Amino acid sequence: MIVGKNIHKSFGDLEVLKGVDLHVKPQEVVVLVGVSGSGKSTLLRCFNFLEMINSGEITIDGHTINPKKEDLAKIRAEVGMVFQHFNLFPHKSVLENVIEAPITVKKMKKEEAKKLGMNLLRKVGLEDKADVYPSKLSGGQKQRVAIARSLAMEPKVMLFDEPTSALDPELVGEVLQVMKQLAEEGMTMVVVTHEMKFAKEVADRIIMIDQGTIIESADPKNFFENPQNERTKQFIQLVE
Amino acid sequence: MPEIFVTVFDVFMRTYPGFLEASVVTLELTAIGVILGTVIGLVFALMKISGSKILRGIANVYITVIRGTPLIVQIMFLYFGIVEIYTMSNFWAGAIALGVHNGAYIAEIFRGAIQGIDPGQREASLSLGMNRKQTMQRIVFPQALRRSIPPLGNQFIITLKDSSLVYIIGVAEIFSLANREAAQSYQAFESFLVVALYYLVLVMIFTFLLRLYENKLDVDKA
Ligand SMILES: Nc1ncnc2c1ncn2[C@@H]1O[C@H](COP(=O)(O)OP(=O)(O)O)[C@@H](O)[C@H]1O
Ligand SMILES: [Mg+2]
């Protein structure tokens, strides 16, 4: 569904991604782990063309993207992204956040968009918050709105960059629950997270990234019980 | 009652019909200065944050020149530069000078507000498939505009007071009236005291209306 081949990305002299290959199959849930600064966010941002790769190839749903020639907005619409700090639009109500892109990008009729928006809010358990502003929500509620907002564009893949890292511990569960439900419905997902319980339960594959390269890629059982790389072993000891 | 109160009151009663008329001119100058300044400011703010080196350069030159020279010089410059060449009234020369002057300051207000918006807002918008223009129009700029309102209000008040400077090219606003009154009546102190009160009252009304508006915005957002 989303394939990265030999992705290189540098910021100035700092090479952050050093030839990453990642093949995410349709309906697959891949959890990305790695220490801070290893390049996890950068990789997700490259998949969404918020950062431009220096070399390599990105293919989405069988279509290899040439960022110079193509309309990046169209491609980004197919790849949903959920951020650590939610990034809800504070000047718009919850429902307006969700229906903004369908109306502006897809030119959907307002009535139709509202119906879609309410369905998605119901799905994340927040239909009663449709008319309030984000400032009135808890972190967990904000993140669930952000997920609904992404889903409104009917993306082919969803990228999550530490979606629960900014949350109080008691609010983490409600967000993971929504993500788990999405996974069960067959959404293709790439998730950066430190929630190992989630990784064990939901991931089809766990990938360890270290200093800009993938050093381990295995199903959860093998990843935790039989890691190949020394750094992975250290990492597992650290989080367990 | 001390003598001074009596003479100030006399001057006030004698001049208020003229001052009311001149107040309209002052308010018109302010309104045009602010509206024109906002339009110019918006254009130059967008130029300053644009990807084009040339546009950024033009905006930088404009802002540097306007902020680096006194308003009274700009008024004279525009007056002799424009009115002499094109037939234009003194009033319009003054109003345009105020607008051009304000434009530089308002450009900086808008630029600061736009750049002050969390980059995450832009990224979230782009990640939803909105293009750069839609992102600016629907996500970044509306938030920046809200943040600009307090400093813009401040700029409006400065404009109201700065409009007094166009007396130099003979526009009949309230300061020029006070000036004439002072010369004719030999009651300079009283005349300038009265005009000071007019400015003070106008500024207070402005400030009050701005505060009402800001409160309304806060309530909307809550
Ligand atoms: N826009 C940027 N400019 C310069 N350096 C960056 C930028 N974004 C990330 N980096 C650097 O790239 C490295 C990897 O960052 P990141 O992908 O955020 O790591 P992770 O998400 O795994 O913690 C870090 O050293 C970070 O400082
Ligand atoms: Mg990160």
Side-chain angles (χ1 to χ4, degrees):
Chain A
M1 181 56 80
I2 189 159
V3 182
K5 268 193 204 145
N6 199 21
I7 294 177
H8 286 264
K9 171 69 190 174
S10 304
F11 295 108
D13 290 339
L14 180 70
E15 194 177 25
V16 176
L17 298 178
K18 302 167 185 166
V20 172
D21 287 293
L22 178 62
H23 187 146
V24 183
K25 295 188 273 294
Q27 310 207 331
E28 191 179 20
V29 177
V30 171
V31 164
L32 269 182
V33 299
V35 296
S36 173
S38 55
K40 306 180 297 294
S41 297
T42 305
L43 181 58
L44 288 195
R45 293 161 61 80
C46 286
F47 276 144
N48 205 2
F49 297 90
L50 288 174
E51 301 287 357
M52 296 302 155
I53 58 177
N54 298 113
S55 66
E57 210 178 81
I58 293 173
T59 304
I60 295 170
D61 202 14
H63 172 70
T64 301
I65 313 293
N66 181 345
K68 290 207 177 67
K69 289 209 184 123
E70 290 177 69
D71 181 4
L72 289 180
K74 263 210 185 95
I75 295 154
R76 292 195 190 104
E78 298 187 340
V79 182
M81 179 117 176
V82 174
F83 302 85
Q84 182 176 353
H85 295 287
F86 331 123
N87 301 350
L88 292 181
F89 307 134
H91 60 304
K92 294 182 179 293
S93 73
V94 164
L95 183 61
E96 284 166 351
N97 263 273
V98 177
I99 66 180
E100 173 66 34
I103 290 177
T104 308
V105 179
K106 289 188 172 169
K107 312 291 173 208
M108 195 181 273
K109 290 250 161 38
K110 190 147 190 199
E111 283 316 304
E112 196 188 339
K114 275 186 173 172
K115 237 170 81 185
L116 167 75
M118 287 312 291
N119 280 336
L120 287 168
L121 287 176
R122 194 169 306 124
K123 185 178 172 126
V124 299
L126 289 171
E127 54 183 325
D128 56 326
K129 301 286 185 196
D131 294 324
V132 309
Y133 281 81
S135 61
K136 289 277 177 305
L137 301 179
S138 72
Q141 292 171 330
K142 281 181 191 166
Q143 196 60 296
R144 286 188 279 151
V145 173
I147 292 172
R149 178 176 70 175
S150 270
L151 291 175
M153 289 303 283
E154 299 177 317
K156 293 175 174 161
V157 191
M158 288 280 284
L159 311 174
F160 295 82
D161 192 0
E162 302 200 27
T164 58
S165 294
L167 300 179
D168 292 336
E170 72 271 19
L171 302 177
V172 168
E174 64 191 61
V175 173
L176 293 181
Q177 188 52 44
V178 169
M179 289 167 61
K180 195 173 167 184
Q181 184 193 334
L182 262 185
E184 280 160 8
E185 287 168 10
M187 175 60 80
T188 309
M189 294 163 56
V190 182
V191 184
V192 174
T193 185
H194 300 298
E195 298 292 333
M196 289 305 128
K197 192 165 159 287
F198 175 83
K200 276 179 194 162
E201 278 176 29
V202 183
D204 296 304
R205 196 145 53 101
I206 304 179
I207 286 176
M208 169 92 184
I209 186 163
D210 187 57
Q211 294 179 6
T213 44
I214 289 176
I215 59 166
E216 192 94 38
S217 170
D219 60 70
K221 191 166 160 26
N222 276 312
F223 185 89
F224 284 103
E225 288 170 15
N226 189 21
Q228 302 300 306
N229 190 294
E230 233 7 81
R231 303 272 298 179
T232 316
K233 288 178 194 164
Q234 286 169 11
F235 178 83
I236 290 168
Q237 270 174 0
L238 211 72
V239 295
E240 295 266 87
Chain B
M1 254 215 295
E3 176 81 10
I4 184 69
F5 283 107
V6 180
T7 52
V8 168
F9 188 71
D10 277 351
V11 170
F12 178 80
M13 290 311 286
R14 191 173 69 241
T15 56
Y16 83 83
F19 265 120
L20 290 185
E21 221 171 285
S23 294
V24 175
V25 178
T26 289
L27 290 175
E28 282 171 352
L29 283 167
T30 307
I32 296 166
V34 159
I35 292 167
L36 189 59
T38 304
V39 174
I40 295 174
L42 184 56
V43 171
F44 279 91
L46 292 176
M47 281 167 68
K48 236 194 131 164
I49 58 172
S50 78
S52 153
K53 251 194 176 141
I54 297 169
L55 292 182
R56 282 207 307 271
I58 295 171
N60 275 331
V61 169
Y62 167 71
I63 291 168
T64 307
V65 168
I66 295 293
R67 300 219 297 186
T69 54
L71 173 55
I72 198 159
V73 176
Q74 293 160 14
I75 292 169
M76 295 301 262
F77 191 82
L78 261 159
Y79 178 65
F80 287 109
I82 294 183
V83 176
E84 303 270 287
I85 300 166
Y86 308 96
T87 42
M88 184 186 278
S89 67
N90 296 12
F91 171 87
W92 277 100
I96 289 173
L98 284 170
V100 168
H101 178 79
N102 265 315
Y105 288 90
I106 294 177
E108 287 292 83
I109 290 174
F110 281 144
R111 182 195 58 78
I114 290 170
Q115 291 186 337
I117 300 300
D118 173 10
Q121 290 291 306
R122 188 170 164 275
E123 291 182 354
S125 176
L126 291 176
S127 81
L128 289 167
M130 305 229 271
N131 62 32
R132 287 172 46 166
K133 187 165 159 234
Q134 291 163 341
T135 296
M136 178 54 84
Q137 277 179 356
R138 302 201 43 93
I139 306 302
V140 177
F141 192 69
Q143 294 183 59
L145 190 60
R146 273 171 200 239
R147 283 208 198 175
S148 303
I149 284 165
L152 277 178
N154 202 31
Q155 193 60 34
F156 294 177
I157 287 166
I158 292 171
T159 310
L160 174 66
K161 294 186 291 181
D162 277 357
S163 70
S164 57
L165 285 172
V166 303
Y167 92 99
I168 198 86
I169 55 172
V171 179
E173 42 68 64
I174 56 179
F175 182 76
S176 73
L177 185 71
N179 216 22
R180 205 177 60 215
E181 185 63 30
Q184 285 172 357
S185 67
Y186 298 104
Q187 291 179 302
F189 177 78
E190 291 83 348
S191 302
F192 289 121
L193 187 64
V194 167
V195 80
L197 289 173
Y198 276 98
Y199 279 114
L200 191 58
V201 169
L202 288 176
V203 167
M204 282 164 66
I205 293 173
F206 244 57
T207 309
F208 175 75
L209 292 177
L210 269 166
R211 200 150 303 149
L212 274 189
Y213 187 61
E214 280 171 29
N215 287 345
K216 185 182 165 302
L217 278 186
D218 283 348
V219 171
D220 280 355
K221 209 179 139 182

